[in-house]
Amino acid sequence: QHARFATENWLHIGGRHIDTANDYRTQAAIGEVLARSGMAREEIFITTKCPGAIGFDATMQCAEDNLQMLGQYGPHGVQYIDLLLIHFPFVMKRECTFSRSSPACQPPNFPFEPASKEALQDTWRAMEELKR
């Protein structure tokens, strides 16, 4: 609801850069606003993010999920994301993935752990593949 309101108002006052991410859980609302706006896709710059060094397959899936949630599939085929970022260079601890209230995920603990070199490289390889 807040993302929808903010995006509608942002576009109304002339804003043209939309920033979203999986962690914000705003893509579907933003996609609806963009579809109703009547604006050409080329008029809006969309930035979104994948959550960390999640490896090749998960990064490819993340990009696909973002396209779907942002409503970037339509009668003219697949649209695009202007800027896809890796949100942070680590990974969520397994025990924190679905339960951030777990004691292992609460201060003074950190819910993330360093990503392996392999995960970082695989994630980057996916980003390069998506650019093609």
Side-chain angles (χ1 to χ4, degrees), residues 90-109:
F90 20 78
V91 293
M92 179 79 66
K93 289 179 183 173
R94 190 172 304 279
E95 62 268 25
C96 300
T97 301
F98 296 108
S99 179
R100 292 195 186 179
S101 61
S102 167
C105 311
Q106 296 297 308
N109 299 313

Side-chain angles (χ1 to χ4, degrees), residues 29-80:
I30 289 171
E32 291 170 14
V33 171
L34 295 176
R36 287 195 321 262
S37 74
M39 299 178 75
R41 172 62 185 89
E42 298 77 28
E43 294 181 51
I44 302 169
F45 190 95
I46 300 173
T47 298
T48 192
K49 303 160 195 82
C50 290
I54 55 178
F56 185 88
D57 291 336
T59 301
M60 297 299 280
Q61 185 64 54
C62 175
E64 174 89 10
D65 292 348
N66 273 286
L67 284 166
Q68 288 181 345
M69 288 184 286
L70 287 164
Q72 295 302 298
Y73 286 100
H76 306 295
V78 177
Q79 296 293 315
Y80 56 94

